[in-house]
Amino acid sequence: MRDVSDDIFSAVMEDMRRAAEAEILPRFLGVTAEGIRTKTAPDDLVTDADLGAERRLTEALSARFPQALLIGEEAVSADSAILARLADADLAVIIDPVDGTWNFAHGLPLFGMIVAIVSGGETVAGLIHYPVTGDFLAARPGRGAWHIARDGTQTRLSVAPPGPIGEMHGFVPLHMFPAEEQPVYARSMLHFARTTTWRCSAYEYRTVATGAMSFSLNAELKPWDHAAGVLIHHEARGYGALLSGEAYRPAMTKGRLLLAPDAESWEAIRRVLSRGDSGCGSVRHCDGVKFGRSATHPPSFL
């Protein structure tokens, strides 16, 4: 499957809405200690909403894609061998039922639901749903990235324009890097206008794809966090790659993923992050060329 039709795209969106309405929203602000469990660390949580939403989505998407490998975050947590099958899968559907579980469990509305459809090792559809606001970010290769409001209004997305390092805002999850790497990244953060982390890939991708933030650095490569978001960012005319320069692929599990407005900005940011100093010689070397903005008509999703 190299092309996801409008009908299938819309159907998957509806599956996500229904799962959120049935399993996530009724539990938001009602999470109790009995409904929260830890996984790999004290702040790596899973709730009844994660499990219920993944179960419901897995059933719905298995019916829509009977030949696909279904990869859910919670299923992989229970059986890591599932993830190893992604690299060789002809077709896979990747599910993050509640991205930002820590936020969800503590009453913060910064969480989302992510689905990526991967064919031949490449993401052919990416969808991020925000249950509280009822909207989506969505993309397919070559068709642009779009915000789809609750009422169906569609707006094309564009990343932030390139600019000087000192004016950039970005995401750097310092706590997620090994202790020996943290001092370098900590020093580098001083050269940007602002850096933060929101504990939620769904919202971090939202802000870099809409131009609210300039860049993001990711310490871990989990396909449910990045397969959809990298496509959305790319279709919003951004540039992303591993710090090694290698292109991102959904089956990757190791590396540092950096997203930026364009290739020139990406290289300037990479130098700063890698050295812990300005790495640019002067501000002008960190400037880029602003993307052109086209007036392409939105495709028919709904």
Side-chain angles (χ1 to χ4, degrees):
M1 176 185 289
R2 286 297 182 180
D3 182 64
V4 176
S5 70
D6 288 349
D7 288 345
I8 293 176
F9 210 58
S10 297
V12 174
M13 290 171 62
E14 185 60 26
D15 291 336
M16 296 171 74
R17 285 193 191 97
R18 290 179 178 176
E21 290 170 356
E23 304 290 348
I24 297 174
L25 288 175
R27 293 183 169 99
F28 183 49
L29 300 180
V31 178
T32 64
E34 291 76 16
I36 303 174
R37 276 82 73 192
T38 60
K39 296 192 288 185
T40 61
D43 63 349
D44 182 15
L45 306 180
V46 61
T47 70
D48 292 341
D50 295 83
L51 299 172
E54 182 166 307
R55 181 172 56 250
R56 186 176 289 262
L57 266 181
T58 299
E59 291 173 356
L61 297 176
S62 293
R64 296 201 185 280
F65 305 96
Q67 305 303 316
L69 169 67
L70 272 290
I71 299 178
E73 178 183 6
E74 306 312 328
V76 172
S77 181
D79 180 6
S80 61
I82 296 173
L83 183 56
R85 298 168 57 194
L86 175 59
D88 297 323
D90 292 332
L91 181 66
V93 181
I94 302 170
I95 301 168
D96 191 341
V98 181
D99 181 72
T101 298
W102 191 93
N103 294 339
F104 173 84
H106 293 90
L108 303 177
L110 295 179
F111 60 88
M113 173 185 286
I114 306 175
V115 169
I117 302 173
V118 175
S119 177
E122 302 293 335
T123 306
V124 296
L127 291 157
I128 304 178
H129 179 44
Y130 303 91
V132 173
T133 50
D135 54 346
F136 284 82
L137 298 191
R140 287 171 286 180
R143 303 195 190 192
W146 301 86
H147 174 259
I148 305 173
R150 186 191 292 268
D151 66 1
T153 301
Q154 300 171 28
T155 305
R156 186 156 191 172
L157 306 180
S158 293
V159 298
I165 287 290
E167 296 177 7
M168 288 188 175
H169 296 233
F171 295 103
V172 181
L174 187 62
H175 69 285
M176 296 184 70
F177 292 97
E180 64 272 15
E181 297 180 26
Q182 291 182 11
V184 174
Y185 289 120
R187 288 193 298 270
S188 74
M189 291 162 67
L190 299 175
H191 295 281
F192 301 103
R194 179 179 298 175
T195 59
T196 187
T197 181
W198 289 351
R199 306 178 71 114
C200 178
S201 294
Y203 266 93
E204 293 184 4
Y205 274 108
R206 183 183 184 115
T207 51
V208 295
T210 59
M213 299 288 272
S214 302
F215 72 93
S216 69
L217 175 67
N218 294 280
E220 297 180 349
L221 295 184
K222 297 177 179 177
W224 43 84
D225 288 332
H226 301 299
V230 169
L231 174 62
I232 291 168
H233 180 259
H234 174 78
E235 289 294 318
R237 303 177 185 173
Y239 181 84
L242 274 60
L243 289 181
S244 64
E246 189 175 2
Y248 170 79
R249 298 186 305 278
M252 288 178 164
T253 58
K254 297 184 183 298
R256 308 280 189 257
L257 175 63
L258 175 63
L259 306 176
D262 64 1
E264 187 177 355
S265 298
W266 182 93
E267 178 57 30
I269 296 166
R270 185 198 65 80
R271 288 198 300 268
V272 173
L273 293 170
S274 298
R275 293 172 52 181
D277 57 27
S278 66
C280 299
S282 66
V283 167
R284 71 177 185 276
H285 295 303
C286 296
D287 290 337
V289 178
K290 184 176 180 180
F291 284 118
R293 303 294 193 249
S294 67
T296 303
H297 295 293
S300 175
F301 290 151
L302 304 176

PDB file of all heavy atoms in Angstrom, residues 216-250:
ATOM      1  N   SER A 216      13.303  20.445  17.409  1.00  0.00           N
ATOM      2  CA  SER A 216      13.209  19.485  18.505  1.00  0.00           C
ATOM      3  C   SER A 216      14.328  18.468  18.368  1.00  0.00           C
ATOM      4  O   SER A 216      14.675  18.049  17.260  1.00  0.00           O
ATOM      5  CB  SER A 216      11.851  18.779  18.537  1.00  0.00           C
ATOM      6  OG  SER A 216      11.705  17.914  17.428  1.00  0.00           O
ATOM      7  N   LEU A 217      14.894  18.096  19.496  1.00  0.00           N
ATOM      8  CA  LEU A 217      15.886  17.027  19.570  1.00  0.00           C
ATOM      9  C   LEU A 217      15.265  15.901  20.375  1.00  0.00           C
ATOM     10  O   LEU A 217      14.713  16.136  21.459  1.00  0.00           O
ATOM     11  CB  LEU A 217      17.160  17.515  20.248  1.00  0.00           C
ATOM     12  CG  LEU A 217      18.236  16.451  20.483  1.00  0.00           C
ATOM     13  CD1 LEU A 217      18.819  15.965  19.157  1.00  0.00           C
ATOM     14  CD2 LEU A 217      19.350  16.991  21.386  1.00  0.00           C
ATOM     15  N   ASN A 218      15.355  14.682  19.864  1.00  0.00           N
ATOM     16  CA  ASN A 218      14.769  13.529  20.543  1.00  0.00           C
ATOM     17  C   ASN A 218      15.855  12.542  20.935  1.00  0.00           C
ATOM     18  O   ASN A 218      16.737  12.217  20.133  1.00  0.00           O
ATOM     19  CB  ASN A 218      13.745  12.846  19.638  1.00  0.00           C
ATOM     20  CG  ASN A 218      12.547  13.736  19.372  1.00  0.00           C
ATOM     21  OD1 ASN A 218      11.656  13.842  20.190  1.00  0.00           O
ATOM     22  ND2 ASN A 218      12.550  14.416  18.233  1.00  0.00           N
ATOM     23  N   ALA A 219      15.786  12.073  22.167  1.00  0.00           N
ATOM     24  CA  ALA A 219      16.814  11.187  22.706  1.00  0.00           C
ATOM     25  C   ALA A 219      16.548   9.727  22.398  1.00  0.00           C
ATOM     26  O   ALA A 219      17.467   8.907  22.432  1.00  0.00           O
ATOM     27  CB  ALA A 219      16.930  11.376  24.222  1.00  0.00           C
ATOM     28  N   GLU A 220      15.296   9.366  22.124  1.00  0.00           N
ATOM     29  CA  GLU A 220      14.931   7.971  21.892  1.00  0.00           C
ATOM     30  C   GLU A 220      14.129   7.852  20.605  1.00  0.00           C
ATOM     31  O   GLU A 220      13.387   8.771  20.238  1.00  0.00           O
ATOM     32  CB  GLU A 220      14.100   7.429  23.055  1.00  0.00           C
ATOM     33  CG  GLU A 220      14.834   7.412  24.381  1.00  0.00           C
ATOM     34  CD  GLU A 220      13.978   6.870  25.516  1.00  0.00           C
ATOM     35  OE1 GLU A 220      12.751   6.701  25.318  1.00  0.00           O
ATOM     36  OE2 GLU A 220      14.537   6.613  26.600  1.00  0.00           O
ATOM     37  N   LEU A 221      14.276   6.727  19.939  1.00  0.00           N
ATOM     38  CA  LEU A 221      13.544   6.475  18.700  1.00  0.00           C
ATOM     39  C   LEU A 221      12.550   5.344  18.921  1.00  0.00           C
ATOM     40  O   LEU A 221      12.896   4.170  18.822  1.00  0.00           O
ATOM     41  CB  LEU A 221      14.510   6.116  17.570  1.00  0.00           C
ATOM     42  CG  LEU A 221      15.467   7.204  17.125  1.00  0.00           C
ATOM     43  CD1 LEU A 221      16.300   6.737  15.944  1.00  0.00           C
ATOM     44  CD2 LEU A 221      14.722   8.489  16.763  1.00  0.00           C
ATOM     45  N   LYS A 222      11.337   5.717  19.235  1.00  0.00           N
ATOM     46  CA  LYS A 222      10.249   4.760  19.358  1.00  0.00           C
ATOM     47  C   LYS A 222       9.257   5.069  18.238  1.00  0.00           C
ATOM     48  O   LYS A 222       8.820   6.216  18.110  1.00  0.00           O
ATOM     49  CB  LYS A 222       9.591   4.875  20.725  1.00  0.00           C
ATOM     50  CG  LYS A 222      10.551   4.534  21.860  1.00  0.00           C
ATOM     51  CD  LYS A 222       9.903   4.730  23.222  1.00  0.00           C
ATOM     52  CE  LYS A 222      10.868   4.352  24.344  1.00  0.00           C
ATOM     53  NZ  LYS A 222      10.294   4.594  25.688  1.00  0.00           N
ATOM     54  N   PRO A 223       8.906   4.070  17.435  1.00  0.00           N
ATOM     55  CA  PRO A 223       8.106   4.378  16.239  1.00  0.00           C
ATOM     56  C   PRO A 223       6.747   4.990  16.549  1.00  0.00           C
ATOM     57  O   PRO A 223       6.235   5.788  15.749  1.00  0.00           O
ATOM     58  CB  PRO A 223       7.975   3.023  15.542  1.00  0.00           C
ATOM     59  CG  PRO A 223       8.240   2.003  16.601  1.00  0.00           C
ATOM     60  CD  PRO A 223       9.230   2.634  17.525  1.00  0.00           C
ATOM     61  N   TRP A 224       6.144   4.634  17.665  1.00  0.00           N
ATOM     62  CA  TRP A 224       4.845   5.214  17.994  1.00  0.00           C
ATOM     63  C   TRP A 224       4.970   6.696  18.339  1.00  0.00           C
ATOM     64  O   TRP A 224       3.996   7.437  18.242  1.00  0.00           O
ATOM     65  CB  TRP A 224       4.183   4.447  19.139  1.00  0.00           C
ATOM     66  CG  TRP A 224       5.110   4.083  20.253  1.00  0.00           C
ATOM     67  CD1 TRP A 224       5.489   4.853  21.314  1.00  0.00           C
ATOM     68  CD2 TRP A 224       5.807   2.840  20.404  1.00  0.00           C
ATOM     69  NE1 TRP A 224       6.371   4.183  22.119  1.00  0.00           N
ATOM     70  CE2 TRP A 224       6.580   2.931  21.592  1.00  0.00           C
ATOM     71  CE3 TRP A 224       5.842   1.663  19.670  1.00  0.00           C
ATOM     72  CZ2 TRP A 224       7.389   1.891  22.044  1.00  0.00           C
ATOM     73  CZ3 TRP A 224       6.645   0.625  20.116  1.00  0.00           C
ATOM     74  CH2 TRP A 224       7.405   0.736  21.289  1.00  0.00           C
ATOM     75  N   ASP A 225       6.161   7.158  18.726  1.00  0.00           N
ATOM     76  CA  ASP A 225       6.369   8.577  18.995  1.00  0.00           C
ATOM     77  C   ASP A 225       6.678   9.372  17.730  1.00  0.00           C
ATOM     78  O   ASP A 225       6.335  10.558  17.648  1.00  0.00           O
ATOM     79  CB  ASP A 225       7.530   8.773  19.979  1.00  0.00           C
ATOM     80  CG  ASP A 225       7.194   8.348  21.390  1.00  0.00           C
ATOM     81  OD1 ASP A 225       6.014   8.397  21.768  1.00  0.00           O
ATOM     82  OD2 ASP A 225       8.134   7.978  22.127  1.00  0.00           O
ATOM     83  N   HIS A 226       7.362   8.763  16.748  1.00  0.00           N
ATOM     84  CA  HIS A 226       7.966   9.551  15.678  1.00  0.00           C
ATOM     85  C   HIS A 226       7.532   9.229  14.253  1.00  0.00           C
ATOM     86  O   HIS A 226       7.665  10.090  13.380  1.00  0.00           O
ATOM     87  CB  HIS A 226       9.491   9.420  15.768  1.00  0.00           C
ATOM     88  CG  HIS A 226      10.046   9.872  17.071  1.00  0.00           C
ATOM     89  ND1 HIS A 226       9.904  11.169  17.532  1.00  0.00           N
ATOM     90  CD2 HIS A 226      10.729   9.203  18.045  1.00  0.00           C
ATOM     91  CE1 HIS A 226      10.487  11.280  18.715  1.00  0.00           C
ATOM     92  NE2 HIS A 226      10.978  10.109  19.048  1.00  0.00           N
ATOM     93  N   ALA A 227       7.050   8.040  13.966  1.00  0.00           N
ATOM     94  CA  ALA A 227       6.766   7.681  12.570  1.00  0.00           C
ATOM     95  C   ALA A 227       5.764   8.635  11.934  1.00  0.00           C
ATOM     96  O   ALA A 227       5.951   9.090  10.795  1.00  0.00           O
ATOM     97  CB  ALA A 227       6.263   6.239  12.484  1.00  0.00           C
ATOM     98  N   ALA A 228       4.703   8.963  12.635  1.00  0.00           N
ATOM     99  CA  ALA A 228       3.708   9.899  12.098  1.00  0.00           C
ATOM    100  C   ALA A 228       4.232  11.326  12.121  1.00  0.00           C
ATOM    101  O   ALA A 228       4.085  12.075  11.141  1.00  0.00           O
ATOM    102  CB  ALA A 228       2.408   9.800  12.896  1.00  0.00           C
ATOM    103  N   GLY A 229       4.857  11.719  13.221  1.00  0.00           N
ATOM    104  CA  GLY A 229       5.288  13.105  13.379  1.00  0.00           C
ATOM    105  C   GLY A 229       6.365  13.528  12.409  1.00  0.00           C
ATOM    106  O   GLY A 229       6.353  14.668  11.913  1.00  0.00           O
ATOM    107  N   VAL A 230       7.321  12.647  12.112  1.00  0.00           N
ATOM    108  CA  VAL A 230       8.371  12.996  11.156  1.00  0.00           C
ATOM    109  C   VAL A 230       7.771  13.270   9.783  1.00  0.00           C
ATOM    110  O   VAL A 230       8.168  14.219   9.087  1.00  0.00           O
ATOM    111  CB  VAL A 230       9.445  11.890  11.095  1.00  0.00           C
ATOM    112  CG1 VAL A 230      10.381  12.110   9.917  1.00  0.00           C
ATOM    113  CG2 VAL A 230      10.240  11.848  12.399  1.00  0.00           C
ATOM    114  N   LEU A 231       6.804  12.446   9.368  1.00  0.00           N
ATOM    115  CA  LEU A 231       6.145  12.690   8.084  1.00  0.00           C
ATOM    116  C   LEU A 231       5.406  14.024   8.100  1.00  0.00           C
ATOM    117  O   LEU A 231       5.496  14.812   7.144  1.00  0.00           O
ATOM    118  CB  LEU A 231       5.175  11.557   7.756  1.00  0.00           C
ATOM    119  CG  LEU A 231       4.315  11.770   6.502  1.00  0.00           C
ATOM    120  CD1 LEU A 231       5.182  11.876   5.256  1.00  0.00           C
ATOM    121  CD2 LEU A 231       3.286  10.651   6.355  1.00  0.00           C
ATOM    122  N   ILE A 232       4.670  14.294   9.162  1.00  0.00           N
ATOM    123  CA  ILE A 232       3.929  15.557   9.257  1.00  0.00           C
ATOM    124  C   ILE A 232       4.879  16.745   9.193  1.00  0.00           C
ATOM    125  O   ILE A 232       4.638  17.720   8.464  1.00  0.00           O
ATOM    126  CB  ILE A 232       3.081  15.581  10.549  1.00  0.00           C
ATOM    127  CG1 ILE A 232       1.937  14.563  10.440  1.00  0.00           C
ATOM    128  CG2 ILE A 232       2.531  16.981  10.821  1.00  0.00           C
ATOM    129  CD1 ILE A 232       1.214  14.301  11.749  1.00  0.00           C
ATOM    130  N   HIS A 233       5.974  16.685   9.924  1.00  0.00           N
ATOM    131  CA  HIS A 233       6.960  17.765   9.922  1.00  0.00           C
ATOM    132  C   HIS A 233       7.565  17.934   8.523  1.00  0.00           C
ATOM    133  O   HIS A 233       7.727  19.057   8.029  1.00  0.00           O
ATOM    134  CB  HIS A 233       8.046  17.468  10.959  1.00  0.00           C
ATOM    135  CG  HIS A 233       9.098  18.515  11.047  1.00  0.00           C
ATOM    136  ND1 HIS A 233      10.331  18.385  10.450  1.00  0.00           N
ATOM    137  CD2 HIS A 233       9.112  19.718  11.681  1.00  0.00           C
ATOM    138  CE1 HIS A 233      11.058  19.459  10.702  1.00  0.00           C
ATOM    139  NE2 HIS A 233      10.352  20.280  11.445  1.00  0.00           N
ATOM    140  N   HIS A 234       7.903  16.831   7.880  1.00  0.00           N
ATOM    141  CA  HIS A 234       8.463  16.893   6.526  1.00  0.00           C
ATOM    142  C   HIS A 234       7.481  17.523   5.552  1.00  0.00           C
ATOM    143  O   HIS A 234       7.864  18.371   4.721  1.00  0.00           O
ATOM    144  CB  HIS A 234       8.842  15.490   6.060  1.00  0.00           C
ATOM    145  CG  HIS A 234       9.300  15.425   4.635  1.00  0.00           C
ATOM    146  ND1 HIS A 234      10.562  15.815   4.239  1.00  0.00           N
ATOM    147  CD2 HIS A 234       8.653  15.040   3.497  1.00  0.00           C
ATOM    148  CE1 HIS A 234      10.680  15.661   2.930  1.00  0.00           C
ATOM    149  NE2 HIS A 234       9.539  15.200   2.454  1.00  0.00           N
ATOM    150  N   GLU A 235       6.213  17.124   5.635  1.00  0.00           N
ATOM    151  CA  GLU A 235       5.214  17.661   4.720  1.00  0.00           C
ATOM    152  C   GLU A 235       4.857  19.112   5.046  1.00  0.00           C
ATOM    153  O   GLU A 235       4.277  19.810   4.205  1.00  0.00           O
ATOM    154  CB  GLU A 235       3.956  16.782   4.744  1.00  0.00           C
ATOM    155  CG  GLU A 235       4.156  15.433   4.082  1.00  0.00           C
ATOM    156  CD  GLU A 235       4.408  15.539   2.579  1.00  0.00           C
ATOM    157  OE1 GLU A 235       3.724  16.354   1.924  1.00  0.00           O
ATOM    158  OE2 GLU A 235       5.291  14.827   2.062  1.00  0.00           O
ATOM    159  N   ALA A 236       5.220  19.563   6.253  1.00  0.00           N
ATOM    160  CA  ALA A 236       5.095  20.986   6.591  1.00  0.00           C
ATOM    161  C   ALA A 236       6.333  21.760   6.159  1.00  0.00           C
ATOM    162  O   ALA A 236       6.527  22.906   6.552  1.00  0.00           O
ATOM    163  CB  ALA A 236       4.859  21.160   8.090  1.00  0.00           C
ATOM    164  N   ARG A 237       7.190  21.103   5.346  1.00  0.00           N
ATOM    165  CA  ARG A 237       8.392  21.676   4.748  1.00  0.00           C
ATOM    166  C   ARG A 237       9.535  21.837   5.738  1.00  0.00           C
ATOM    167  O   ARG A 237      10.388  22.710   5.585  1.00  0.00           O
ATOM    168  CB  ARG A 237       8.072  23.004   4.056  1.00  0.00           C
ATOM    169  CG  ARG A 237       6.993  22.868   2.994  1.00  0.00           C
ATOM    170  CD  ARG A 237       6.672  24.207   2.393  1.00  0.00           C
ATOM    171  NE  ARG A 237       5.563  24.087   1.468  1.00  0.00           N
ATOM    172  CZ  ARG A 237       4.968  25.126   0.894  1.00  0.00           C
ATOM    173  NH1 ARG A 237       5.380  26.354   1.160  1.00  0.00           N
ATOM    174  NH2 ARG A 237       3.974  24.948   0.056  1.00  0.00           N
ATOM    175  N   GLY A 238       9.555  20.991   6.733  1.00  0.00           N
ATOM    176  CA  GLY A 238      10.683  20.969   7.644  1.00  0.00           C
ATOM    177  C   GLY A 238      11.728  19.966   7.199  1.00  0.00           C
ATOM    178  O   GLY A 238      11.529  19.203   6.241  1.00  0.00           O
ATOM    179  N   TYR A 239      12.846  19.965   7.904  1.00  0.00           N
ATOM    180  CA  TYR A 239      13.935  19.047   7.609  1.00  0.00           C
ATOM    181  C   TYR A 239      14.282  18.285   8.879  1.00  0.00           C
ATOM    182  O   TYR A 239      14.417  18.883   9.952  1.00  0.00           O
ATOM    183  CB  TYR A 239      15.166  19.810   7.113  1.00  0.00           C
ATOM    184  CG  TYR A 239      16.335  18.908   6.766  1.00  0.00           C
ATOM    185  CD1 TYR A 239      16.410  18.302   5.516  1.00  0.00           C
ATOM    186  CD2 TYR A 239      17.335  18.643   7.699  1.00  0.00           C
ATOM    187  CE1 TYR A 239      17.473  17.460   5.190  1.00  0.00           C
ATOM    188  CE2 TYR A 239      18.398  17.807   7.387  1.00  0.00           C
ATOM    189  CZ  TYR A 239      18.463  17.216   6.133  1.00  0.00           C
ATOM    190  OH  TYR A 239      19.506  16.373   5.824  1.00  0.00           O
ATOM    191  N   GLY A 240      14.441  16.974   8.757  1.00  0.00           N
ATOM    192  CA  GLY A 240      14.786  16.158   9.905  1.00  0.00           C
ATOM    193  C   GLY A 240      15.736  15.048   9.542  1.00  0.00           C
ATOM    194  O   GLY A 240      15.698  14.524   8.423  1.00  0.00           O
ATOM    195  N   ALA A 241      16.595  14.685  10.455  1.00  0.00           N
ATOM    196  CA  ALA A 241      17.534  13.579  10.278  1.00  0.00           C
ATOM    197  C   ALA A 241      18.140  13.257  11.628  1.00  0.00           C
ATOM    198  O   ALA A 241      18.029  14.027  12.583  1.00  0.00           O
ATOM    199  CB  ALA A 241      18.633  13.941   9.278  1.00  0.00           C
ATOM    200  N   LEU A 242      18.777  12.098  11.708  1.00  0.00           N
ATOM    201  CA  LEU A 242      19.541  11.779  12.896  1.00  0.00           C
ATOM    202  C   LEU A 242      20.764  12.692  12.961  1.00  0.00           C
ATOM    203  O   LEU A 242      21.220  13.205  11.930  1.00  0.00           O
ATOM    204  CB  LEU A 242      19.977  10.316  12.885  1.00  0.00           C
ATOM    205  CG  LEU A 242      18.978   9.294  13.452  1.00  0.00           C
ATOM    206  CD1 LEU A 242      17.673   9.312  12.670  1.00  0.00           C
ATOM    207  CD2 LEU A 242      19.573   7.905  13.465  1.00  0.00           C
ATOM    208  N   LEU A 243      21.308  12.903  14.161  1.00  0.00           N
ATOM    209  CA  LEU A 243      22.491  13.742  14.297  1.00  0.00           C
ATOM    210  C   LEU A 243      23.656  13.209  13.462  1.00  0.00           C
ATOM    211  O   LEU A 243      24.546  13.967  13.074  1.00  0.00           O
ATOM    212  CB  LEU A 243      22.917  13.858  15.766  1.00  0.00           C
ATOM    213  CG  LEU A 243      22.002  14.690  16.669  1.00  0.00           C
ATOM    214  CD1 LEU A 243      22.568  14.731  18.087  1.00  0.00           C
ATOM    215  CD2 LEU A 243      21.825  16.100  16.130  1.00  0.00           C
ATOM    216  N   SER A 244      23.646  11.924  13.168  1.00  0.00           N
ATOM    217  CA  SER A 244      24.673  11.332  12.310  1.00  0.00           C
ATOM    218  C   SER A 244      24.520  11.748  10.861  1.00  0.00           C
ATOM    219  O   SER A 244      25.416  11.529  10.042  1.00  0.00           O
ATOM    220  CB  SER A 244      24.597   9.809  12.399  1.00  0.00           C
ATOM    221  OG  SER A 244      23.349   9.346  11.873  1.00  0.00           O
ATOM    222  N   GLY A 245      23.386  12.342  10.519  1.00  0.00           N
ATOM    223  CA  GLY A 245      23.081  12.704   9.143  1.00  0.00           C
ATOM    224  C   GLY A 245      22.215  11.692   8.429  1.00  0.00           C
ATOM    225  O   GLY A 245      21.729  11.955   7.319  1.00  0.00           O
ATOM    226  N   GLU A 246      22.005  10.535   9.047  1.00  0.00           N
ATOM    227  CA  GLU A 246      21.203   9.484   8.422  1.00  0.00           C
ATOM    228  C   GLU A 246      19.727   9.854   8.423  1.00  0.00           C
ATOM    229  O   GLU A 246      19.214  10.422   9.388  1.00  0.00           O
ATOM    230  CB  GLU A 246      21.414   8.176   9.190  1.00  0.00           C
ATOM    231  CG  GLU A 246      20.823   6.948   8.523  1.00  0.00           C
ATOM    232  CD  GLU A 246      21.162   5.671   9.269  1.00  0.00           C
ATOM    233  OE1 GLU A 246      21.828   5.738  10.324  1.00  0.00           O
ATOM    234  OE2 GLU A 246      20.761   4.590   8.794  1.00  0.00           O
ATOM    235  N   ALA A 247      19.038   9.528   7.340  1.00  0.00           N
ATOM    236  CA  ALA A 247      17.607   9.789   7.255  1.00  0.00           C
ATOM    237  C   ALA A 247      16.847   8.898   8.234  1.00  0.00           C
ATOM    238  O   ALA A 247      17.205   7.735   8.443  1.00  0.00           O
ATOM    239  CB  ALA A 247      17.109   9.545   5.831  1.00  0.00           C
ATOM    240  N   TYR A 248      15.783   9.437   8.814  1.00  0.00           N
ATOM    241  CA  TYR A 248      14.968   8.664   9.760  1.00  0.00           C
ATOM    242  C   TYR A 248      14.131   7.632   9.025  1.00  0.00           C
ATOM    243  O   TYR A 248      13.592   7.889   7.953  1.00  0.00           O
ATOM    244  CB  TYR A 248      14.039   9.598  10.544  1.00  0.00           C
ATOM    245  CG  TYR A 248      13.013   8.853  11.364  1.00  0.00           C
ATOM    246  CD1 TYR A 248      13.347   8.280  12.586  1.00  0.00           C
ATOM    247  CD2 TYR A 248      11.702   8.687  10.887  1.00  0.00           C
ATOM    248  CE1 TYR A 248      12.412   7.573  13.323  1.00  0.00           C
ATOM    249  CE2 TYR A 248      10.758   7.981  11.627  1.00  0.00           C
ATOM    250  CZ  TYR A 248      11.121   7.416  12.842  1.00  0.00           C
ATOM    251  OH  TYR A 248      10.194   6.712  13.573  1.00  0.00           O
ATOM    252  N   ARG A 249      14.011   6.451   9.626  1.00  0.00           N
ATOM    253  CA  ARG A 249      13.104   5.403   9.160  1.00  0.00           C
ATOM    254  C   ARG A 249      12.347   4.854  10.364  1.00  0.00           C
ATOM    255  O   ARG A 249      12.904   4.743  11.467  1.00  0.00           O
ATOM    256  CB  ARG A 249      13.869   4.280   8.459  1.00  0.00           C
ATOM    257  CG  ARG A 249      14.625   4.728   7.214  1.00  0.00           C
ATOM    258  CD  ARG A 249      15.257   3.548   6.479  1.00  0.00           C
ATOM    259  NE  ARG A 249      16.132   2.753   7.349  1.00  0.00           N
ATOM    260  CZ  ARG A 249      17.396   3.074   7.620  1.00  0.00           C
ATOM    261  NH1 ARG A 249      17.939   4.169   7.118  1.00  0.00           N
ATOM    262  NH2 ARG A 249      18.127   2.305   8.405  1.00  0.00           N
ATOM    263  N   PRO A 250      11.093   4.479  10.191  1.00  0.00           N
ATOM    264  CA  PRO A 250      10.281   4.053  11.339  1.00  0.00           C
ATOM    265  C   PRO A 250      10.850   2.881  12.117  1.00  0.00           C
ATOM    266  O   PRO A 250      10.595   2.769  13.324  1.00  0.00           O
ATOM    267  CB  PRO A 250       8.942   3.685  10.692  1.00  0.00           C
ATOM    268  CG  PRO A 250       8.879   4.530   9.473  1.00  0.00           C
ATOM    269  CD  PRO A 250      10.277   4.610   8.965  1.00  0.00           C
TER     270      PRO A 250
END
